[in-house]
Amino acid sequence: MSASRIDASVVVQAMGAPRDPAALERQADSYRELLGYLPPRVEARLQVTGALDPVLVDMQEQIRAHAMNPPCFDGKTAQLMIFGMLMAELSDAAVIHGIAARRAGASWEELQAVVSMAYLFRGVSAANRGADVLARIAEREAQAR
């Protein structure tokens, strides 16, 4: 369900260190605040693109922060919407936005309602995947306790 962590030392050896380590830490911290951890694929993008094209990774993060936090929605609503979009696509990233929605105060009932909406447009695959995603989020929460 989730990618494995990269070996940052291999990336540094092959591509060089991120040009702005302080910016990389700030960017990584924004994910840790949202999710409680840094997703492996995000870590890879920050490390690799931070070394090869730090201007681009900075622009990506600015756009992400702007689009994900519109002033017209609270954080929970925004995360539920993103979760639903990703569920309809059967995307692995639905897990991380389900986690973010829970951290923002979403209930299991709200997450299931979003899965049910995705089911309307994607079918049984979304319902099956959604149940699996919710179970995995519950397992993660239990492990964190």
Side-chain angles (χ1 to χ4, degrees):
M1 185 67 67
S2 183
S4 60
R5 291 232 170 283
I6 61 165
D7 184 335
S9 66
V10 171
V11 172
V12 169
Q13 186 176 19
M15 298 167 207
R19 295 186 195 159
D20 188 349
L24 183 135
E25 264 317 296
R26 281 191 307 277
Q27 292 158 346
D29 284 346
S30 74
Y31 289 90
R32 290 183 190 110
E33 182 179 316
L34 181 68
L35 303 167
Y37 74 106
L38 178 61
R41 288 180 185 153
V42 173
E43 179 183 29
R45 180 174 55 83
L46 295 178
Q47 288 284 336
V48 171
T49 311
L52 299 174
D53 194 347
V55 172
L56 179 60
V57 79
D58 188 54
M59 288 190 296
Q60 290 169 342
E61 289 302 301
Q62 286 180 36
I63 290 168
R64 179 189 73 85
H66 177 80
M68 196 178 298
N69 301 295
C72 56
F73 298 124
D74 62 36
K76 179 177 92 168
T77 302
Q79 288 304 319
L80 284 168
M81 291 172 67
I82 295 166
F83 174 69
M85 291 174 207
L86 294 168
M87 279 306 316
E89 291 181 357
L90 304 177
S91 172
D92 288 346
V95 173
I96 66 172
H97 289 282
I99 291 168
R102 288 283 292 164
R103 288 174 58 91
S107 68
W108 293 115
E109 181 182 19
E110 289 170 318
L111 286 168
Q112 178 57 54
V114 172
V115 168
S116 297
M117 289 179 205
Y119 161 78
L120 286 175
F121 299 98
R122 188 61 182 211
V124 174
S125 295
N128 291 343
R129 179 64 161 251
D132 184 67
V133 165
L134 296 186
R136 296 200 185 276
I137 294 169
E139 289 172 346
R140 184 177 189 88
E141 288 180 5
Q143 291 170 352
R145 281 189 227 114

